[in-house]
Amino acid sequence: MPAQGESGNGRVTINEVGLRDGLQNHPRRLGVAEKLELYRALRISGLHSFELTSFVSPKAVPAMADAAELVAALPPEEGVNLTALVPNRRGYARAREAGMRGIAVVLAATETLNQRNIGMSLDRAREECAAVLRQAAADGVFARAYVAAACACPYEGPTSPDTVIALAEEMLAAGADEVAIADTIGAGNPRQVATLFRSAVARCGAGCLSAHFHDTRALGVTLSWVALQEGIRKFDASIGGLGGCPFAPGASGNLATEDLVFMLEESGYRTQVDLPALMAAASLAGRLLGGQVGGRITPWYESRHRSRNIESNGTNQGQARGGD
Ligand code: COA
Ligand code: ZN
């Protein structure tokens, strides 16, 4: 099927954020070996861009206290883009010391969310993020900047698109290679997201933008489609729909990687991700975390596999989960 999209370029990059956004607030804490096992399963699916961890205060986010250990345990590999979230210069120094060659700073579009998330005023957060980005540019380190609460803030309500885009421009000017426009609490609606991304693309260009959606109100896939139509070709997603920011009330699960991959591939875009292998990674995440994990596609996918097993074996004793 020919690729869709205004640019005629049907290739879409998915940045898997489950190991950071997905695990940072989960009640079950994974060890380094378990995180590695999940990373390997995700790599097998073909994913090659990851936000791996964060170098933040272990008191603020205990689940990420093992960041340096995790980076040290990774198999060395060419062609995989790895970033780690850093909230300040201290985090940047720790990430570099651990050997990271990619980082992400996080700037919320509102005063209160910056205070709650990273203990800084908006102005101080802008300065701190810009300082990290300048350093990263000087060091030849790939850097992305989140502009969080891009549709609404859990404390201050709806966010103005002009504010979001002005912050995106500021981060790009400071040296960011990419800005991730993040609907941190999944508060956006399709019309609003279309307006936001249309203006952002007009002012910054689609090439240096990516989209980060949460599926709080079941609109994650829809909002991705809307951003796609505005020219966005890079998306964050989290395996099994895991996720949520501990400092942004209402931030439930991220958009599930499997839902995004399915929607894109069904529509003729190319993700280089193998859906059965991705479903196997989601099953693994469920086993490791001991709970219900999976995107909205999961019940359909599993029932389709069950009926195929019945057809081929004449039994329903086959695999219940695809790709396991
Ligand atoms: N990594 C590890 N420790 C750090 C750190 C970093 N990047 N930056 C600061 N710290 C330590 C300080 O040394 C201090 O330690 P101490 O209590 O043992 O003296 C402690 O963290 C507090 O630092 P301080 O500078 O007083 O600031 P704070 O208490 O306002 O915390 C942050 C600021 C940014 C460190 C903290 O809010 C944070 O880590 N936030 C991350 C939030 C997050 O990950 N959100 C989800 C992703 S968007
Ligand atoms: Zn998020």
Side-chain angles (χ1 to χ4, degrees):
M1 182 176 175
Q4 313 280 313
E6 284 165 21
S7 70
N9 173 8
R11 212 166 135 174
V12 175
T13 301
I14 297 174
N15 181 43
E16 171 60 48
V17 298
L19 290 157
R20 195 278 300 170
D21 211 355
L23 296 183
Q24 68 185 3
N25 197 28
H26 201 280
R28 167 88 168 77
R29 196 94 61 78
L30 296 190
V32 169
E34 292 171 312
K35 289 181 182 179
L36 261 183
E37 193 183 350
L38 182 55
Y39 172 79
R40 286 205 187 92
L42 292 164
R43 279 289 298 124
I44 287 168
S45 78
L47 285 163
H48 56 274
S49 182
F50 294 85
E51 189 169 273
L52 196 62
T53 184
S54 57
F55 288 85
V56 298
S57 157
K59 283 183 197 148
V61 188
M64 299 289 119
D66 60 7
E69 228 184 302
L70 179 64
V71 176
L74 279 189
E77 242 186 320
E78 293 294 320
V80 181
N81 304 319
L82 301 176
T83 51
L85 186 145
V86 302
N88 53 18
R89 280 171 269 203
R90 167 95 187 274
Y92 179 79
R94 286 181 59 215
R96 292 292 288 141
E97 210 173 300
M100 290 300 300
R101 300 202 43 76
I103 57 98
V105 295
V106 57
L107 176 65
T110 64
E111 196 62 46
T112 320
L113 188 54
N114 282 301
Q115 284 290 356
R116 300 287 171 102
N117 193 35
I118 53 174
M120 298 177 207
S121 67
L122 175 56
D123 281 347
R124 223 195 110 210
R126 285 164 57 202
E127 280 167 28
E128 190 70 22
C129 289
V132 171
L133 293 171
R134 282 193 294 272
Q135 189 60 51
D139 295 343
V141 165
F142 174 83
R144 74 199 299 249
Y146 282 101
V147 178
C151 294
C153 168
Y155 305 102
E156 296 187 24
T159 311
S160 135
D162 278 342
T163 304
V164 173
I165 298 165
L167 292 173
E169 288 176 321
E170 193 176 321
M171 295 299 103
L172 290 168
D177 296 291
E178 181 182 313
V179 168
I181 295 185
D183 181 11
T184 310
I185 56 169
N189 67 62
R191 190 185 298 274
Q192 173 191 25
V193 165
T195 306
L196 171 61
F197 277 91
R198 189 164 305 159
S199 312
V201 167
R203 278 164 58 179
C204 305
C208 59
L209 293 175
S210 66
H212 177 111
F213 294 116
H214 283 244
D215 208 19
T216 319
R217 304 190 302 167
L219 287 178
V221 162
T222 310
L223 300 180
S224 304
W225 178 259
V226 168
L228 195 68
Q229 300 318 302
E230 299 305 329
I232 300 300
R233 291 293 177 275
K234 288 185 221 155
F235 292 85
D236 288 356
S238 172
I239 190 68
L242 295 170
C245 174
F247 309 102
S252 66
N254 287 58
L255 168 61
T257 313
E258 55 271 37
D259 290 348
L260 179 63
V261 165
F262 180 73
M263 179 275 275
L264 290 167
E265 294 281 342
E266 278 286 293
S267 308
Y269 290 88
R270 296 185 308 278
T271 62
Q272 296 182 296
V273 181
D274 177 63
L275 189 64
L278 195 61
M279 297 305 284
S283 297
L284 173 65
R287 288 197 298 278
L288 293 172
L289 293 165
Q292 274 296 320
V293 170
R296 293 176 196 279
I297 194 186
T298 311
W300 169 80
Y301 186 88
E302 290 186 347
S303 70
R304 192 189 66 148
H305 273 243
R306 254 195 304 276
S307 53
R308 284 199 176 162
N309 283 331
I310 292 167
E311 272 169 34
S312 60
N313 305 335
T315 165
N316 63 359
Q317 299 302 304
Q319 291 177 347
R321 283 171 182 266
D324 271 353

